[in-house]
Each structure stands twice: as structure tokens, then as C-alpha cells.
Amino acid sequence: MMLKGKIAVVTGAGRGIGREIALLMARHGAQVVVNDYGGSAAGSGAESAPADEVVSEITKAGGKATANYDSVASMAGGQAIIKKAVDTFGRVDIVVNNAGILRDRMIFNMTEEEWDAVINTHLKGSFAVTRAAAPLMREQKWGRIINMTSTSGLIGNVGQANYAAAKLGIFGLTKATALDMGRYNVTANCISPFAWTRMIGTIPTSTEAQQARVEKIKKMSPAHIAPLAAFLASDAAQNVSGQIFGVRGKEIMLFGHHRPVTRIHHAEGWTVERLAEIFPGTLQHHLVPLETSGQYFNYDPLV
Ligand SMILES: NC(=O)c1ccc[n+]([C@@H]2O[C@H](COP(=O)([O-])OP(=O)(O)OC[C@H]3O[C@@H](n4cnc5c(N)ncnc54)[C@H](O)[C@@H]3O)[C@@H](O)[C@H]2O)c1
């Protein structure tokens, strides 16, 4: 029982990774707000069933949970989700910003609607829920924020400009949150998961590379992500903040952060011509290969 007495909010917990995190946190004694707006894969409609089913699974197993159906994608939604935790359980200790959608399209075809839908759900949604919880965590001097990033942003992917921008933005949000909240005993970390869920089922598989990537992901269960999330939410992870972890089947990874890897300096300063002359023998050697997440993680997962 690593989370006994803690109050957790998990967004997008009606399915996939969020559902597994909500179930495991409840098994570890947390009282859970299961948020999910129950959207269809295409983004239309809203239903309460996914969140309700997870709540009933938790209560049947002897845990405590309540459902919330607000969308994370507005400030009002974020406030309502956190209010549900406070009204039902009196407090909020843990926030897992997990709700997500995909609207994949090549950059030259992506619409404003597809851009906004993904940025609003992932990036603004993570901000909206965190913004509602942060004053309460600051006041009680304890809190855990866990945000879902993706190797689509950290490494790269084709056809995901909106999603990659949102997910790398989430890392910036996490780092800033960790720095702002550190003095109040509140940590913020990112998880970059790999798991076969409905969301991955919406990735187009028209090219061979896309098919190969999705076939690999099919082998990975969302249940593998939950232990790391529950650990980061526990007292045991007090000194872990501002970090990015990856979970791929039975493998857990720690990602590096952006730092200069090399420097060049010229006593007279740089001209375009001088740069063109010196670049190939210096910075060029340290360029990061332009590749997709699937190309980088080209080995089979341990499942
Ligand atoms: N599955 C993977 O391999 C993978 C890889 C990288 C990142 N992620 C991230 O993990 C998180 C969970 O993804 P998943 O694969 O479990 O997807 P999923 O589609 O199975 O679950 C996401 C849930 O979020 C809910 N949701 C969507 N928009 C919402 C909103 N505005 N408000 C409230 N709920 C909303 C959906 O109804 C759905 O139940 C996402 O943030 C995703 O970007 C997943």
C-alpha cells in the first residue's frame, strides 16, 4: 500500500494507460477521481460509460473512486475536475495528466482544427488541470504531478506535428512546474509510454515503416506503465522531480535532457563564410540523426 490515504486525479482514465494507472493507484490505497469525457476515437460524442466502468471496477475490489466527465481542454474543465476531488474526498495529492487524442496529418495538410484539438487536449489540458491543483498542493505542501509525454516529440515522428509539439511542450511545462513547486514539496515528472491502446489504433498504417512501428507497439500492454506512475506518486519518490522516464514493456528508461554537446568559438566572431568553412569539421560531427521514434527503438520490446 504505497499510496494509502492519498487522493489521486487521473485524466483520460476510462481507457488504456490512464485506466491501468487508476486501478493500480486504487489497489495501493489511493482514492481516485476517474476522469474521462468518453470521446469516440474520432473525437465526436461524449459518454460516461468508460469512466463509470473503471469506478465500478475499483469499488468492487474494495477501493474508493468517483467519476468525472469534464474535458481537460479548458480552464473550466480543469477546475471542475479538481473540484470533484475536493468535494468528494476533501483534497488532491496526485494529478496524472494522461488524457489524449491523435489527429495525425502531414504538416503540409494539417488543418487549424487538427492542430488546436491536439494542443488543447494535451498541452492546454495538462496546464488546466495542473493550474487548478497547484494552489492546493502549495498550501498543503505535498503533491505529485505526472504528465504523459511521447517519443513522437522527444525523438520524432512523421505526420504528428501537432502531437509532437504538444508532447515536447509538456516536457517544458513539467520542468517549469517542478521548478515552481519544488519548495512546496511538490514534484512533477514525465512518462513517455509505449502501449497498445485505442489511441495507437488511430495511427495511419499506410507505409511499411508505420505498419512495423504499430506491430511492435501491439505487443506492449498499458499495464506496464502503471507501476512507474504509482511509484512517482508515492512518498518514496520525494527526490525525483523534473525528469523524463520511458516505459516500453518490461523496460524502464531515463531520458537525457537538452544541454549543449559541443561548442565552437572564434576570436574574431563568426561570419557566414567562416561558419560554412568550420561547420563540417566541428558541429557537423555532433548532429543528431534525423529519425523517427520507430527507427530509434528498432529492437523488439521485452514484454
Ligand atoms: N499508447 C502509447 O503508446 C502512447 C505513447 C506515447 C504517449 N502516450 C500518451 O499516453 C496517454 C494515454 O494514451 P492511451 O494510449 O492510453 O490512449 P486511449 O485513447 O486508450 O486513452 C485516452 C483517454 O483519454 C480520454 N480523453 C481524450 N480527450 C479527453 C479530454 N479532453 N478530456 C478528458 N478525457 C479525454 C479518451 O476518452 C480516452 O479514454 C496520452 O496522453 C498519450 O498521448 C501513449
Side-chain angles (χ1 to χ4, degrees):
M1 284 278 197
M2 301 281 287
L3 302 174
K4 201 165 170 44
K6 305 282 192 224
I7 313 301
V9 169
V10 186
T11 71
R15 298 184 183 89
I17 294 166
R19 174 178 174 276
E20 296 292 341
I21 292 174
L23 293 174
L24 187 67
M25 286 190 169
R27 279 209 291 282
H28 276 276
Q31 299 165 57
V32 185
V33 176
V34 177
N35 158 267
D36 204 300
Y37 81 159
S40 67
S44 61
E47 48 164 342
S48 54
D52 288 342
E53 280 162 23
V54 176
V55 168
S56 87
E57 216 173 317
I58 290 173
T59 44
K60 266 189 214 141
K64 284 204 180 109
T66 187
N68 168 275
Y69 318 110
D70 285 290
S71 168
V72 298
S74 73
M75 298 311 284
Q79 291 290 344
I81 294 164
I82 296 303
K83 186 172 184 300
K84 180 79 189 208
V86 173
D87 288 351
T88 313
F89 300 123
R91 228 175 50 243
V92 60
D93 301 307
I94 300 160
V95 167
V96 183
N97 285 307
N98 165 84
I101 56 167
L102 286 178
R103 296 287 182 275
D104 287 13
R105 192 87 60 196
M106 296 301 264
I107 187 69
F108 41 82
N109 287 326
M110 186 170 286
T111 65
E112 183 179 1
E113 238 170 26
E114 288 162 344
W115 174 268
D116 285 347
V118 168
I119 297 288
N120 288 344
T121 304
H122 290 272
L123 187 54
K124 185 173 178 188
S126 297
F127 169 67
V129 182
T130 299
R131 175 64 184 83
L136 308 175
M137 291 180 170
R138 177 175 176 239
E139 184 73 29
Q140 73 197 12
K141 294 197 169 54
W142 202 97
R144 296 285 187 270
I145 294 163
I146 297 158
N147 296 329
M148 291 294 160
T149 185
S150 169
T151 56
S152 296
L154 298 169
I155 293 179
N157 245 332
V158 172
Q160 294 194 321
N162 47 4
Y163 185 66
K167 288 309 208 185
L168 207 47
I170 283 176
F171 172 54
L173 169 68
T174 307
K175 194 60 116 56
T177 305
L179 288 166
D180 286 355
M181 299 296 286
R183 74 189 74 165
Y184 306 110
N185 212 21
V186 176
T187 69
N189 290 286
C190 277
I191 298 179
S192 181
F194 296 75
W196 177 244
T197 62
R198 185 186 70 164
M199 207 180 79
I200 300 300
T202 70
I203 292 178
T205 49
S206 43
T207 69
E208 246 175 59
Q210 284 169 331
Q211 280 162 21
R213 172 170 179 243
V214 167
E215 280 312 309
K216 274 203 172 66
I217 298 177
K218 270 189 182 169
K219 297 180 190 156
M220 292 178 263
S221 156
H224 287 303
I225 319 299
L228 176 66
F231 164 73
L232 290 172
S234 73
D235 282 309
Q238 183 56 54
N239 298 320
V240 184
S241 197
Q243 305 302 315
I244 313 170
F245 298 92
V247 187
R248 192 169 178 268
K250 290 179 182 162
E251 187 182 20
I252 294 182
M253 312 166 234
L254 176 66
F255 280 80
H257 297 202
H258 295 99
R259 296 285 187 273
V261 291
T262 186
R263 292 172 172 86
I264 54 173
H265 173 266
H266 199 285
E268 290 157 36
W270 291 99
T271 62
V272 183
E273 293 81 0
R274 201 170 278 149
L275 252 181
E277 187 194 331
I278 305 287
F279 192 96
T282 55
L283 300 188
Q284 180 85 43
H285 294 306
H286 301 272
L287 298 185
V288 175
L290 183 60
E291 58 193 355
T292 65
S293 170
Q295 287 167 328
Y296 184 84
F297 291 102
N298 62 3
Y299 55 96
D300 272 334
L302 300 160
V303 288

